[in-house]
């Protein structure tokens, strides 16, 4: 069964919630063939109204953790999730091209 429609995603989230789960760990890289598309489905299904959401910034290419790219990743994620805030924002995969100090500063400024 796929979860490509809003109806299917909402049904999955409903079952997940009824079983007592109340947190979602989301990554900008999900789904691998259409990065960010899972966030759109979660947003359309109203996930942020029932769940605490933790997310990871985009980590697909060198340079993704430059401050402007972190800001863009967070903005796109919040828009897709149809929410103004999440509980936690993680860096998922190390970006070896961007100095860690720059990445850490951008993450700190995102708070």
């Amino acid at each position: 069964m796929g979860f490509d429609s809003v109806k299917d995603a909402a049904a999955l989230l409903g079952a997940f919630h009824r079983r007592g789960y109340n947190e979602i760990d989301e990554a900008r890289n999900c789904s691998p063939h259409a990065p960010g598309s899972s966030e759109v489905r979660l947003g359309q299904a109203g996930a942020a109204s029932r769940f605490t959401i933790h997310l990871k910034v985009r980590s697909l290419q060198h340079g993704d953790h430059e401050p402007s790219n972190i800001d863009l990743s967070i903005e796109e994620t919040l828009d897709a999730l149809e929410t103004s805030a999440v509980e936690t924002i993680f860096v998922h995969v190390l970006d070896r091209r961007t100095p860690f100090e720059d990445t850490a500063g951008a993450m700190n400024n995102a708070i």
Side-chain angles (χ1 to χ4, degrees), residues 23-27 52-56 86-90:
E23 298 192 31
I24 295 175
D25 181 4
E26 169 50 30
T52 299
I53 299 178
H54 309 275
L55 67 89
K56 299 169 193 81
V86 293
E87 182 70 20
T88 313
I89 303 172
F90 296 98

Side-chain angles (χ1 to χ4, degrees), residues 13-91:
L13 290 174
F16 190 62
H17 194 259
R18 284 190 300 279
R19 286 173 175 77
Y21 297 100
N22 60 7
E23 298 192 31
I24 295 175
D25 181 4
E26 169 50 30
R28 189 82 188 138
N29 298 354
C30 297
S31 305
H33 301 293
S37 62
S38 64
E39 296 169 346
V40 172
R41 286 190 298 274
L42 289 170
Q44 291 170 338
S49 67
R50 293 190 291 172
F51 295 92
T52 299
I53 299 178
H54 309 275
L55 67 89
K56 299 169 193 81
V57 297
R58 182 182 297 116
S59 300
L60 293 172
Q61 300 176 15
H62 295 297
D64 275 346
H65 294 167
E66 292 176 8
S68 62
N69 290 333
I70 286 177
D71 293 344
L72 180 61
S73 178
I74 293 169
E75 181 182 326
E76 289 174 345
T77 296
L78 294 176
D79 287 346
L81 290 170
E82 299 182 17
T83 189
S84 60
V86 293
E87 182 70 20
T88 313
I89 303 172
F90 296 98
V91 171

